[in-house]
Amino acid sequence: MSYSPGEEGGLSQAAPNAPNSRDLFDNTTQTVATGNTPEDLVSPMVDEASPSSTSSFEMLDMDSVPAPYQEVQPHWFFCRRAEDNTSWLPFSREDSDKLENAFNAVGKKETEVVVAVDGERYDVHVKERKRYAVYWEQAPTEVRRCTWFYKGDKDTRFMPYLEDFSKSLEEAYMIAVTLDEWKRKLEFPTGETVILHNPKLIMQYQPIGLQEEWVSSPSEQTRPRTVKRGVDNISVEIPDGEPEKVDHLVFMVHGIGPACDLRFRSIIQCVNDFRSASLSLLASHYKRAQQEGVVGRVEFLPVNWHSALHGDATGVDEDIQRITLPSISRLRHFTNDTLLDLFFYNSPTYCQTIVDTVASEINRLHTLFKQRHPDFNGEVSVVGHSLGSLILFDLLTNQRTGSDPRKGVPPNEPFPLNCDTLEQTLTRLGLQQYLDTLQAENVDLESLTLCQDSDLKDLGIPLGPRKKILNYVRRKWLPEDSKTGAVHLAPGLQVPPQVTSDHDSYQSSGLTMQQSQFHRAQSVTSAVDYEYFNMGIGQVSIDYPQLAFHPQTFFAFGSPIGMFLTVRGLKHIDPNYTFPTCKSFYNIYHPFDPVAYRIEPMIVSEADLEPMLIPHHKGRKRMHLELKDSLTRMSMDLKNNVLGSLRTAWQSFARLPVAALPPVEEGETTIERNLQEAQGVCEEAEPSVSAEQPEQPEIKVGMLNGGRRIDYVLQEKPIESFNEYLFAIQSHLCYWESEDTALLLLKEIYDKLDVAFEQPQQ
């Protein structure tokens, strides 16, 4: 890098052998300015630099006394790479301070320092300058300690320089400020040239290929970049830090396909948006409680099962690809990658893979979260979107309560296989050659029960032996009652004739009695009133795994649960039925969502209940809905008035002859009598209407949500009301960015914590 002062308002050529920074600091001379004011020296340089970019420059009053040099305050950024662009995003000030303190503490030591950031969802390796995801699989991203930034004409935001480059700029800036000498040029070995015109006007010029000899100034090479020092001098929004205290944990399960919204974002990105919305709502609707330290935050973690289903372990993608037609390839790829998930879930083979993946992933995340938050003592809830809600519904209906675990085994402990050793088990399976591989990783028989297919694959065990091991473990995990053929029903359950007569059909299809009882046993693990069932909830051939906790609330977004239950033969849900381990259930949907179905009509079929309208997060009903309701009430009032007038007129025409009428009392006219009769009709009608009003909230919709309402509908936006079909798909994917949905979850969570809700003033 070369560094030299300018002369007569122009740019001097760099010396062949550039001195180092110390020589520059000791030998730098004053800029020659004969007959020119400081303003005259700056202006030609600005005009020459780039006429198109000087309009945004902030000119400095050169007559003012220069401020003493102060070291720049660094801020830490991380890189986010997309398909077509790269952006650098700042850490919160709290996280940046933690990283800076760790950076200063480690110094030149070789030991690595790990700092937890972003609510402890990421770990930053300070020496390596990498950020690693904790809870999900994600490529590590670059981290940078940033002090200097640049932005070109076509850039939308400032980008940070490399740390070494920034260090050189800071040294040159320190010299210029200390000596109060500006218009200095820095030339770097890569060809970049930076000119320090004044503290607020610093430009960078980049070369374009090979320069011609006649090119005399950087302004003729390329358009300059604006250079800024320090994060406070650039337009960047630094996010607020998250509270350390976690009040509640929520797992969110996605639906079909790898993308969760119209922007084809993953479940990780969508959950990040939902978490951000909840943090802003906590700051606005629970402001006082947050200031008093009563409220911390709610942690939302994504549960991804699609990659396991479509990974190498199942090989289903290769099998489907072999039979896929070559035409309309993009549409067929979308169908194979997204829509087929519905059919996979209805297949016993792949349904088992899906439920195992969801349950094991939730349990893994729960264990990892407890390890990283040992002081957490809050409750846990689950959220399912689309098909994910059906997966959770089937899991929750097949959970065992504390009074129905496996005998002699704590609820969350693995079931002991038997008294055999690992060597004996592998020998029985004919896989003794893998004993050394497992023992090298300290895997015993109990550890083997916790292994997944991906774990065994990482150990280098081929697909065939992996399937043998997993099948053996799965069979040994089954309750002993299932293997003896005994079927135990929950108290009060009655098996309908259709169920008992199914044994003959099983035998006629080649299944033994023991197999048929086992299949039926899997479908009666939850306390459901079978008077209304032709078959059990869930798929009869699936062994549903157990969650490591009892969820407090189950939220379903855009859920097809009602439709799937109906297709399975369920016509009615017993009002007394509850999930064995979860006592609250909310079915949340958009009115135009084509995939969503209601639940309450399956519980209370005798009453036509409108769904509960979810309040707007700003505390009011949307304007177009209020107008719609007002017009509806107006038309009903007008209709009633017209019908009342017609009824009175008809009664006057259809009246019997006067002689047959009751005698008119003295002083009373016929018109008065007619008015009294009309008023009597109205008075009889009004009490019936008023009597029906208070009965509405008293209707109970079963115990699935503790006697409270289950179906909750969002308010559509005004633009969505113009064409329901146009916004149908978007309506199914809107929940991740819906503040109304996020606020409903927060109210349900914090109401049970007795935290007061505050409606902010608009």
Side-chain angles (χ1 to χ4, degrees), residues 84 225 350 569 601:
D84 53 351
R225 289 175 171 175
Y350 296 110

Side-chain angles (χ1 to χ4, degrees), residues 361-655:
E361 182 69 4
I362 290 178
N363 290 337
R364 182 188 70 85
L365 293 174
H366 181 261
T367 302
L368 186 56
F369 179 84
K370 295 279 286 185
Q371 291 174 355
R372 295 180 67 89
H373 298 81
D375 297 332
F376 174 75
N377 57 359
E379 296 292 337
V380 184
S381 295
V382 291
V383 171
H385 174 242
S386 190
L387 182 61
S389 64
L390 179 64
I391 298 171
L392 288 176
F393 186 88
D394 289 343
L395 276 173
L396 293 178
T397 55
N398 289 278
Q399 296 296 294
R400 301 179 184 89
T401 60
S403 60
D404 187 30
R406 300 181 181 93
K407 292 183 179 180
V409 183
N412 296 326
E413 293 292 328
F415 186 76
L417 296 177
N418 47 39
C419 297
D420 292 345
T421 63
L422 178 64
E423 182 178 2
Q424 292 172 332
T425 301
L426 293 177
T427 302
R428 183 179 293 108
L429 296 175
L431 303 175
Q432 58 270 20
Q433 65 269 30
Y434 300 107
L435 178 63
D436 294 338
T437 303
L438 295 173
Q439 289 180 342
E441 298 293 333
N442 294 327
V443 176
D444 56 11
L445 200 57
E446 183 178 354
S447 302
L448 191 64
T449 64
L450 302 175
C451 288
Q452 304 179 28
D453 185 85
S454 58
D455 300 326
L456 299 177
K457 183 180 179 182
D458 292 340
L459 295 177
I461 300 178
L463 178 62
R466 294 202 308 267
K467 292 299 183 183
K468 283 186 177 181
I469 294 174
L470 294 175
N471 182 58
Y472 177 79
V473 171
R474 184 177 296 125
R475 286 189 292 108
K476 291 296 182 179
W477 264 66
L478 294 179
E480 294 297 329
D481 293 341
S482 299
K483 288 179 270 184
T484 60
V487 180
H488 295 282
L489 300 180
L493 295 186
Q494 296 180 354
V495 179
Q498 293 92 334
V499 175
T500 57
S501 63
D502 280 348
H503 298 318
D504 297 336
S505 62
Y506 274 108
Q507 290 180 340
S508 63
S509 61
L511 295 177
T512 64
M513 176 64 71
Q514 180 177 351
Q515 289 173 316
S516 67
Q517 290 173 330
F518 161 70
H519 283 259
R520 185 57 57 192
Q522 298 306 310
S523 64
V524 296
T525 55
S526 56
V528 186
D529 190 345
Y530 272 77
E531 179 182 356
Y532 303 102
F533 281 75
N534 291 328
M535 60 182 299
I537 288 182
Q539 302 199 42
V540 295
S541 59
I542 301 303
D543 174 26
Y544 286 95
Q546 302 299 297
L547 298 179
F549 56 91
H550 291 181
Q552 183 185 75
T553 309
F554 169 33
F555 300 95
F557 295 170
S559 174
I561 292 175
M563 180 269 291
F564 270 86
L565 294 182
T566 303
V567 170
R568 291 173 181 175
L570 175 63
K571 299 182 181 298
H572 185 73
I573 299 177
D574 180 19
N576 295 321
Y577 173 71
T578 61
F579 293 123
T581 60
C582 181
K583 302 307 177 186
S584 298
F585 173 46
Y586 288 85
N587 182 37
I588 303 170
Y589 61 91
H590 190 282
F592 303 153
D593 189 340
V595 181
Y597 289 83
R598 294 193 61 184
I599 296 294
E600 290 176 348
M602 302 186 70
I603 303 174
V604 186
S605 57
E606 64 276 5
D608 186 13
L609 295 178
E610 291 291 329
M612 294 291 291
L613 189 67
I614 299 177
H616 194 271
H617 66 279
K618 292 184 178 180
R620 56 173 175 77
K621 202 172 185 179
R622 292 188 183 271
M623 187 69 68
H624 69 287
L625 294 179
E626 292 181 352
L627 180 61
K628 181 179 179 181
D629 291 345
S630 299
L631 292 176
T632 302
R633 286 194 299 268
M634 187 184 302
S635 63
M636 290 299 297
D637 293 341
L638 182 61
K639 178 181 178 182
N640 292 335
N641 291 336
V642 172
L643 290 178
S645 301
L646 291 176
R647 186 182 300 110
T648 303
W650 175 256
Q651 290 175 352
S652 63
F653 282 117
R655 188 178 298 115

Side-chain angles (χ1 to χ4, degrees), residues 134-412:
V134 173
Y135 296 105
W136 52 81
E137 293 184 3
Q138 180 179 335
T141 56
E142 184 182 354
V143 172
R144 190 173 294 177
R145 182 176 180 264
C146 305
T147 54
W148 286 78
F149 306 84
Y150 68 89
K151 186 177 76 169
D153 287 343
K154 297 182 179 179
D155 295 333
T156 58
R157 63 178 66 187
F158 279 89
M159 303 284 286
Y161 281 112
L162 293 172
E163 294 186 30
D164 292 339
F165 198 100
S166 298
K167 185 177 180 181
S168 301
L169 289 175
E170 183 64 20
E171 290 176 355
Y173 180 86
M174 178 186 64
I175 295 172
V177 171
T178 304
L179 300 179
D180 193 21
E181 294 180 355
W182 298 95
K183 301 196 177 183
R184 297 179 173 276
K185 180 176 67 172
L186 288 81
E187 289 189 350
F188 292 85
T190 54
E192 288 90 352
T193 301
V194 176
I195 302 176
L196 286 74
H197 296 279
N198 58 57
K200 292 192 176 181
L201 179 55
I202 304 174
M203 306 296 297
Q204 176 197 351
Y205 302 90
Q206 285 185 299
I208 302 180
L210 298 175
Q211 298 298 322
E212 301 292 341
E213 295 181 356
W214 54 269
V215 175
S216 59
S217 67
S219 62
E220 300 178 30
Q221 299 175 16
T222 181
R223 290 183 178 273
R225 289 175 171 175
T226 303
V227 180
K228 293 291 184 181
R229 176 179 181 266
V231 71
D232 294 333
N233 294 321
I234 64 174
S235 56
V236 61
E237 183 179 356
I238 299 178
D240 297 328
E242 300 181 14
E244 294 184 3
K245 178 187 174 185
V246 178
D247 302 321
H248 200 89
L249 175 62
V250 180
F251 296 111
M252 310 190 82
V253 183
H254 66 84
I256 61 174
C260 294
D261 63 0
L262 291 178
R263 287 180 281 175
F264 297 97
R265 297 185 303 166
S266 66
I267 177 65
I268 298 173
Q269 296 170 301
C270 291
V271 172
N272 287 343
D273 276 358
F274 198 88
R275 185 188 305 110
S276 299
S278 72
L279 288 172
S280 62
L281 289 170
L282 280 175
S284 59
H285 291 71
Y286 293 89
K287 185 176 181 179
R288 181 179 305 174
Q290 204 169 55
Q291 291 174 347
E292 296 174 354
V294 179
V295 167
R297 63 184 174 92
V298 178
E299 182 61 277
F300 296 89
L301 295 180
V303 178
N304 186 359
W305 56 266
H306 182 270
S307 57
L309 175 63
H310 294 265
D312 297 334
T314 61
V316 63
D317 284 1
E318 296 180 2
D319 298 337
I320 292 294
Q321 189 60 38
R322 284 198 298 267
I323 60 176
T324 301
L325 300 181
S327 58
I328 53 174
S329 57
R330 292 186 179 181
L331 180 58
R332 295 187 191 277
H333 175 74
F334 172 79
T335 302
N336 293 345
D337 203 32
T338 302
L339 300 182
L340 285 187
D341 288 349
L342 288 171
F343 299 98
F344 287 143
Y345 189 69
N346 286 321
S347 162
T349 301
Y350 296 110
C351 179
Q352 187 68 64
T353 301
I354 293 174
V355 296
D356 285 346
T357 302
V358 171
S360 62
E361 182 69 4
I362 290 178
N363 290 337
R364 182 188 70 85
L365 293 174
H366 181 261
T367 302
L368 186 56
F369 179 84
K370 295 279 286 185
Q371 291 174 355
R372 295 180 67 89
H373 298 81
D375 297 332
F376 174 75
N377 57 359
E379 296 292 337
V380 184
S381 295
V382 291
V383 171
H385 174 242
S386 190
L387 182 61
S389 64
L390 179 64
I391 298 171
L392 288 176
F393 186 88
D394 289 343
L395 276 173
L396 293 178
T397 55
N398 289 278
Q399 296 296 294
R400 301 179 184 89
T401 60
S403 60
D404 187 30
R406 300 181 181 93
K407 292 183 179 180
V409 183
N412 296 326

